[in-house]
Amino acid sequence: MPRVLPLADMDKILSLSKRRGFIFQSSEIYGGLASTWDYGPLGVELKRNVKEAWWRSVVRDRDDMVGLDSAILMHPRVWEASGHVENFSDPLVECRSCHRRFRSDQVESERCPECQGELTEARNFNLMFKTFMGPVEETGQEIYLRPETAQGIFVNFNNVVNATRKKLPFGIGQIGKAFRNEITPGNFTFRTREFEQMEVEFFVKPGTDEEWLHRWVDTRFEWYVSLGIRRENLRLRRHDPDELAHYAKDTYDIEYRFPWGWGELEGIANRTDFDLRRHNEFSGEVLTYFDEESKEHYFPYVIEPSGGVDRATLAFWLDSYDEEPDPPSRNGPPGDGQARQTVRVVSHLHRKLAPVTVAVLPLSRNERLLPTARRVYDLLRRSFNTQFDDAQSIGRRYRRQDEIGTPYCVTVDFETLDDQQVTVRDRDTMYQVRLPIAELTTVLQDKLEHGW
Ligand code: GAP
């Protein structure tokens, strides 16, 4: 099994993603909009499963966490208080000849990488998207599309404390869209201008912040491993002091070994009391916390694990892709009547992330098989994301399900009509067992929870 996907294989991934309905170029029929992507029928399921797994792990399964879903549009003062108006910018240079723009920290010489033209002096380019609120643009209020979901959490700090009576340490989790007018988006869904974040703001007593930072770093790292990313394709990288964000005292990035090199999946930052203090100052609302034990009022410190949904989804998808030798003896039940492939393309997506969990495949389209196969399908779809497929040979259908990462295929054959048993095939081992239809749901649920 290749440990790292070669860059050359990205073309295969792009084509598989499009062909099987994972990811499409946005506005494709108009020639596409650069670096924006749409998730197709299978991609949306995969992405939902990633978000669901995150929500379960950081919100539902923890007593010290609650959730939130705040608005994308916020009061413009929020972004002054947060420091984004002043600091959220990248250094930009422009070529005087071809007028292409680059991040100055990404060009190596003083000449344009495209046409060797002369570059302008670097100037700071704010990454926030602006828009207008109200029907008349000229008199409308200028507002921003949020560049991070985090601020929606900070401005609701008092609301959540009052509504939930949570005591420190506790956190608030949120998943939602964020927008950045990136100068150099690219690498498929890795860097885009519209993306989704999964963020936690975890409020702690000052002095315990460093310990909590490390706890969250470990927890978040293990989450990626628990959902199937190979440990050797992940690493932790601590920020150098000069690369820390304006609000951070310390930050660790969880990076994935993408085909183009290491790239950030998630940053875990110690944001100190920067945000609550600033919002207190700018809004006039008191955002300190009253500690009943010590009878003190103070600004809590904040540990922030902040990950990208799109990047995580891409990493799970890339890490699971595999091409295996496909000897004829392993190629499904006999009699599928197709030319043998020499390579099996299989996605080993974790069973909790796979867009389709079970596929129900009648051995053929024979009329006698279909009613039973439909009955099995109706039974399973109540509990699992299930697909019914009766087109083409059984061997091809197995391959199609392997390619999209379906962990279990259930085949209904003529014997099923007599003994009410079906064949369950495991994607990874291609091991097959016969099981009574009546036990299918329980057995598959157990497999989903614990594997084989
Ligand atoms: N609230 C902190 C914050 O926003 P960040 O490191 O700028 O921190 C957090 O962003 C995560 O959001 C990143 O680790 C990455 O996964 C994702 N992200 C940031 N910019 C992105 C972009 N342009 N495209 C896709 N994902 C992005």
Side-chain angles (χ1 to χ4, degrees), residues 375 379 420-422 435-443:
R375 183 163 60 81
L379 174 82
Q420 296 299 304
Q421 296 204 7
V422 288
L435 283 176
I437 294 172
E439 288 173 24
L440 260 183
T441 303
T442 333
V443 173

Side-chain angles (χ1 to χ4, degrees), residues 148 180 182 190 192 195 197 199 264-265 304 306 308:
E148 61 171 14
R180 296 181 189 177
E182 299 280 2
F190 180 80
T192 52
F195 55 95
Q197 291 188 312
E199 296 201 296
E264 174 187 340
L265 288 179
E304 178 196 61
S306 169

